[in-house]
Amino acid sequence: GSDPAITEIQPWMQELGEGVDARPYGTPSRFEAHVKRRNVEWLTADPVSSVNFTPLHEMEGIITPNGLCFERHHAGIADVDPSVHRLMINGLVDRELVFTMEDLARFPRHNRVYFLECAANSGMEWRGAQLNGCQFTHGMIHNVMYTGVMLRDVLNAAGVQTAGKWILPEGADASGMTRSIPMEKALDDCMIATHMNGERLRPEQGYPVRLVVPGWEGNMWVKWLRRIEVGDQPWHHREETSKYTDLLADGQARRFTWAMDAKSVITNPSPQAPLTHGPGPTVLTGVAWSGRGTIPRVDVTLDGGKNWHQARMDGPSLDKSMHRFYFDFEWDGKPLLLQSRAHDSTGYVQPTKNQLRAVRGENSIYHNNGIQTWHVDARGEAENVEIG
Amino acid sequence: MIGAAYMLANTMVPEVHAPVAETMGLTAKAESAPAPVPMVYALGRPATPEEVAAWDIDVRPDGHGLPDGSGDVWTGEELYIDNCAVCHGDFGEAIGRWPVLAGGQGSLTDDRPVKTIGSYWPYLSTVYDYVNRAMPFGNAQSLSDDEVYAITAYLLYLNDLVDDDFVLDQESFAAFEMPNQPAFYMDDRADTEYALFTGEPCMTNCAETVQITARAAVVDVTPEDEAAREARAAAHEAEEAVVEVAAVAAEPAAVEAEPVAVTEPAAAGPDLIAAGEKVFKKCAACHQVGDGARNRSGPALNNILGHPAGAVDGFRYSSVFQDMQAAGLVWTEDELAAFLTAPKTYAAGTKMSFRGLSDEEDLTAVIAYLGSFAE
């Protein structure tokens, strides 16, 4: 028969819609209300010191919309008034300085697209498949275009002394977030960002200023940045000792594991995004990234790794940014075991979870970049599984 | 300010050491290229010594940044019970999923390692620095230097690392070493992993058979989609409505009981309410009150005085509170005072781990403060 969507007049075909004054700051269609950040209640004691997850399975391309960028706070979202926010540079510098937000805007500005991944992304999966959905297994990541000033320009205004080998950025929130960062990185590509995707930083992403530490773990990207101290040695503060150190099977722990290694995940199909169309032409897609370069290649398997195919990379390929890949195939309606495997520009190939476990054990929490497996059954429903 | 940008010959930029740069994943610099002379933009203004002192509170393992002061274990115990035990437990064992602070020694190679200050943290300076900058949770930077010393000393005592006569000051700090310090080493992935995870991988006929070895659906800990949850809730609603109507019909008195005692706190002076707001900081890690207050670890407390116990919408109460609600208990000032004096005695089995308020003035003040959020 005929499709009533065509043969019947829909309300929006007949009636007038809202005027240009109805949505001065627009929001997505009401039919997209399910596209949102989600948290996992049992993970933490309280939402003010917790994390939520980017809905990767609902997104396309490589840019994360600002309202969907995952959040991680240690003392809630600081509600900072920019007119009384200051950035101080102190320590081993020739001139200890204070900047207003207006001062910062007078340094030369730069635009860069970078991913920010929490070191604990996929951390719940070390002991085996646990959370059913790429939002939960891989959603502690976002990828936006930052506008800001180079950290080196700000440090040079203060004049870093030769003994200054480390910096300690500090946040203005009630956790007073601090991390030690080596001076080489600070002077290389770090930024003090004021904007993301063309608009001011969102409060939950550090408004009015955050540090950008390309390719390195998200905890170092201090939000609500208020101070940078220059010193001759690292500070070994809470977030780089009791947290964000990687405990290995022998009881020893790696510290300063800053770089995020190459990783990828198939976002569709996945547990929250089943195949609903039945056999026939199917678009498989996902994202890949590396903290050490670009992603020239991603391999995809439909049969649990017996045979692999090179995926089609599409969209911009930028240093330390998210990349988009596709694999367009004819689904025969039989169960699938899907995996993706990223190759980065250094030649590093994303390992399996078991390869990682062989080196590190299962207690390290952080830096789990192992290959993810989805089992798709004959109905098209997907599940997080591990295979051997 | 065009023209104001200037260059300083003595502004040194530390050079990138190639081997270090490579292990850190930095872009390698061409050796022949001359190092660019940094542009220096004359922006900002000098920080005053007072400004630097106000913000520069960080402490390093070598003691750099430690203020003058001292604190002993027993002073620390009192402070800890008042300020920390509500989340971390009386012995550092933690309430709910708040961090465990004590114990766990020897567990780092276990299936479930317990990483605490005593079992894991490499430096004592980290304890002082973190307590000083971020604790108590929700009331950061409210402790004096001596109080931070004392709490730090008590945390060492809870971890069996010092005796009960221990006093922490700059001198004893300098002599102290944390037991797990040697277990930490610099990231070595470049040496231990990158060679293993490099090279052209197998593309065809890579495995004979593949089997599923683990399934997330079996673990079943994924949060449900809200739409699915609401659909199920709607299905249940019809049944529950029937049950509720029956309950109300049987016990109308319980619902209407004692809308009392709201007049007095409403008349409480602004000073008392302000004093209560300060006392409430002890509660603020778990409770919210005022505009937009939401349930946290504890229920939101708007409109609590003069209203039934255990009845805040959407909060999952312990069974003792469910029983109190069923019995029709109403939060009068007296009842609230009795509860807040000794929570665990008044309501045995309550999830609220707060030790209680011993100071009567604090008690009166915090109740007046809560009473100021009546509708």
Side-chain angles (χ1 to χ4, degrees):
Chain A
S2 298
D3 184 353
I6 295 170
T7 57
E8 290 174 14
I9 295 176
Q10 304 296 333
W12 57 86
M13 299 172 176
Q14 194 154 46
E15 298 159 15
L16 304 179
E18 290 175 334
V20 293
D21 54 351
R23 301 175 186 224
Y25 202 131
T27 49
S29 160
R30 64 193 170 97
F31 300 103
E32 297 297 317
H34 57 286
V35 180
K36 60 185 179 184
R37 299 181 283 221
R38 290 181 173 83
N39 63 322
V40 176
E41 245 181 77
W42 54 262
L43 267 184
T44 55
D46 192 290
V48 296
S49 180
S50 192
V51 66
N52 62 21
F53 301 87
T54 303
L56 294 174
H57 61 292
E58 298 284 2
M59 294 165 43
E60 271 294 350
I62 65 165
I63 295 292
T64 315
N66 290 341
L68 295 177
C69 290
F70 87 95
E71 303 166 74
R72 170 69 166 116
H73 317 305
H74 295 77
I77 302 168
D79 184 25
V80 176
D81 175 352
S83 72
V84 291
H85 188 70
R86 307 283 181 263
L87 176 67
M88 178 189 291
I89 311 286
N90 75 305
L92 299 179
V93 291
D94 295 334
R95 298 167 290 280
E96 295 187 317
L97 293 176
V98 171
F99 300 96
T100 63
M101 298 305 97
E102 291 77 16
D103 294 335
L104 283 179
R106 294 168 65 195
F107 285 95
R109 291 200 281 276
H110 300 269
N111 294 283
R112 301 271 191 280
V113 178
Y114 292 121
F115 76 83
L116 183 166
E117 185 184 16
C118 177
N121 201 18
S122 314
M124 291 85 82
E125 305 291 308
W126 274 109
R127 291 192 171 82
Q130 182 160 253
L131 288 163
N132 238 341
C134 68
Q135 179 166 21
F136 302 112
T137 56
H138 289 74
M140 285 192 234
I141 186 166
H142 54 70
N143 197 66
V144 307
M145 177 179 281
Y146 294 98
T147 305
V149 303
M150 299 310 294
L151 176 58
R152 61 172 169 264
D153 286 342
V154 178
L155 288 173
N156 287 338
V160 174
Q161 296 174 357
T162 26
K165 297 296 182 196
W166 292 81
I167 62 165
L168 184 80
E170 179 179 70
D173 65 323
S175 80
M177 174 61 64
T178 43
R179 285 294 301 258
S180 303
I181 299 177
M183 187 61 76
E184 291 91 336
K185 180 68 174 176
L187 298 178
D188 181 36
D189 57 359
C190 290
M191 299 170 72
I192 297 174
T194 52
H195 293 70
M196 55 197 289
N197 292 335
E199 66 175 3
R200 291 278 174 190
L201 294 174
R202 293 284 174 96
E204 63 269 35
Q205 304 299 340
Y207 177 88
V209 275
R210 89 171 308 163
L211 196 63
V212 169
V213 190
W216 288 15
E217 61 190 19
N219 182 256
M220 308 176 83
W221 300 45
V222 172
K223 299 191 284 190
W224 312 292
L225 181 70
R226 76 164 186 196
R227 188 172 70 96
I228 297 171
E229 183 170 347
V230 176
D232 59 354
Q233 49 181 281
W235 281 262
H236 295 288
H237 277 182
R238 192 235 192 193
E239 303 293 323
E240 52 204 11
T241 52
S242 83
K243 309 288 176 188
Y244 302 99
T245 48
D246 308 350
L247 176 60
L248 304 189
D250 63 1
Q252 304 218 78
R254 287 176 180 157
R255 66 158 60 105
F256 297 150
T257 47
W258 299 309
M260 300 307 295
D261 288 327
K263 189 167 172 179
S264 68
V265 65
I266 294 169
T267 56
N268 308 77
S270 66
Q272 298 159 288
L275 290 178
T276 54
H277 56 54
T282 298
V283 175
L284 176 156
T285 188
V287 285
W289 58 92
S290 168
R292 302 195 298 132
T294 58
I295 301 287
R297 171 179 159 192
V298 173
D299 304 326
V300 165
T301 177
L302 306 180
D303 57 13
K306 291 180 188 168
N307 297 288
W308 293 83
H309 318 273
Q310 282 203 29
R312 175 170 61 87
M313 307 304 297
D314 191 273
S317 174
L318 301 168
D319 185 43
K320 305 180 181 74
S321 163
M322 203 177 257
H323 292 60
R324 174 63 61 174
F325 66 87
Y326 294 95
F327 183 65
D328 311 294
F329 72 104
E330 194 84 11
W331 184 36
D332 58 11
K334 292 190 179 133
L336 304 165
L337 282 170
L338 304 179
Q339 295 180 328
S340 62
R341 179 172 68 196
H343 300 239
D344 79 10
S345 49
T346 72
Y348 179 94
V349 181
Q350 184 183 0
T352 64
K353 291 188 192 175
N354 282 334
Q355 282 179 299
L356 282 182
R357 290 177 183 131
V359 179
R360 304 187 198 165
E362 297 183 355
N363 286 334
S364 69
I365 301 177
Y366 305 106
H367 295 283
N368 182 351
N369 66 320
I371 290 173
Q372 174 66 44
T373 312
W374 307 125
H375 174 246
V376 178
D377 68 17
R379 296 167 302 164
E381 296 286 336
E383 185 190 352
N384 176 9
V385 301
E386 287 200 19
I387 55 175
Chain B
M1 264 211 288
I2 294 167
Y6 55 90
M7 288 180 279
L8 289 181
N10 63 348
T11 302
M12 298 292 292
V13 179
E15 285 170 27
V16 178
H17 301 291
V20 179
E22 271 166 36
T23 60
M24 299 190 310
L26 296 179
T27 318
K29 302 268 191 298
E31 267 185 54
S32 55
V37 183
M39 279 295 272
V40 176
Y41 300 91
L43 291 166
R45 61 154 177 89
T48 69
E50 292 74 24
E51 288 172 336
V52 173
W55 278 4
D56 185 0
I57 58 168
D58 46 77
V59 180
R60 284 195 323 207
D62 62 0
H64 184 86
L66 263 186
D68 290 333
S70 70
D72 62 80
V73 166
W74 296 122
T75 308
E77 182 187 33
E78 265 180 52
L79 289 161
Y80 176 91
I81 294 291
D82 279 351
N83 293 286
C84 320
V86 58
C87 295
H88 296 294
D90 285 354
F91 306 101
E93 77 283 11
I95 307 295
R97 293 195 57 86
W98 296 105
V100 180
L101 300 183
Q105 278 90 342
S107 75
L108 296 184
T109 54
D110 292 356
D111 273 354
R112 303 276 166 173
V114 181
K115 297 194 281 183
T116 71
I117 291 171
S119 72
Y120 193 66
W121 292 35
Y123 300 108
L124 180 57
S125 58
T126 313
V127 184
Y128 186 99
D129 179 86
Y130 185 69
V131 171
N132 188 40
R133 74 173 51 245
M135 292 290 117
F137 195 61
N139 193 17
Q141 298 197 42
S142 60
L143 299 165
S144 70
D145 293 342
D146 285 347
E147 288 175 330
V148 177
Y149 272 111
I151 288 172
T152 306
Y154 184 63
L155 289 169
L156 292 178
Y157 175 74
L158 276 184
N159 278 288
D160 298 323
L161 295 173
V162 296
D163 292 328
D164 61 5
D165 59 356
F166 180 74
V167 177
L168 184 65
D169 55 18
Q170 289 187 7
E171 199 181 328
S172 57
F173 172 91
F176 197 88
E177 277 185 22
M178 296 289 269
N180 198 45
Q181 195 276 323
F184 287 82
Y185 61 94
M186 186 71 187
D187 182 8
D188 65 348
R189 284 176 293 172
D191 302 324
T192 55
E193 294 187 6
Y194 289 170
L196 294 174
F197 306 151
T198 302
E200 180 58 33
C202 174
M203 292 296 284
T204 51
N205 301 319
C206 306
E208 290 273 310
T209 57
V210 174
Q211 280 186 328
I212 293 177
T213 55
R215 300 184 50 189
V218 174
V219 184
D220 193 24
V221 289
T222 309
E224 285 177 79
D225 195 270
E226 233 162 75
R229 187 158 45 216
E230 277 165 18
R232 212 183 45 239
H236 286 286
E237 226 165 62
E239 303 164 34
E240 281 172 16
V242 175
V243 178
E244 249 173 61
V245 167
V248 170
E251 272 184 283
V255 180
E256 284 164 30
E258 299 183 78
V260 288
V262 265
T263 49
E264 221 175 317
D271 288 353
L272 187 59
I273 290 172
E277 186 176 3
K278 279 192 191 148
V279 178
F280 188 75
K281 286 182 176 176
K282 290 179 195 288
C283 323
C286 302
H287 290 285
Q288 293 187 343
V289 69
D291 280 349
R294 291 197 292 169
N295 293 333
R296 292 297 190 185
S297 300
L301 295 179
N302 286 339
N303 216 20
I304 204 81
L305 203 55
H307 288 83
V312 173
D313 270 356
F315 186 76
R316 282 178 304 214
Y317 284 96
S318 58
S319 57
V320 62
F321 264 80
Q322 291 171 21
D323 292 347
M324 280 155 62
Q325 190 207 12
L329 179 85
V330 167
W331 283 128
T332 62
E333 282 184 48
D334 287 349
E335 294 289 352
L336 209 47
F339 175 50
L340 294 180
T341 304
K344 283 175 179 160
T345 315
Y346 181 91
T350 176
K351 286 196 284 186
M352 187 165 99
S353 55
F354 185 55
R355 176 203 193 209
L357 288 169
S358 47
D359 184 318
E360 210 154 302
E361 280 176 25
D362 284 355
L363 206 54
T364 313
V366 80
I367 290 171
Y369 176 66
L370 290 174
S372 72
F373 294 97
E375 271 173 15

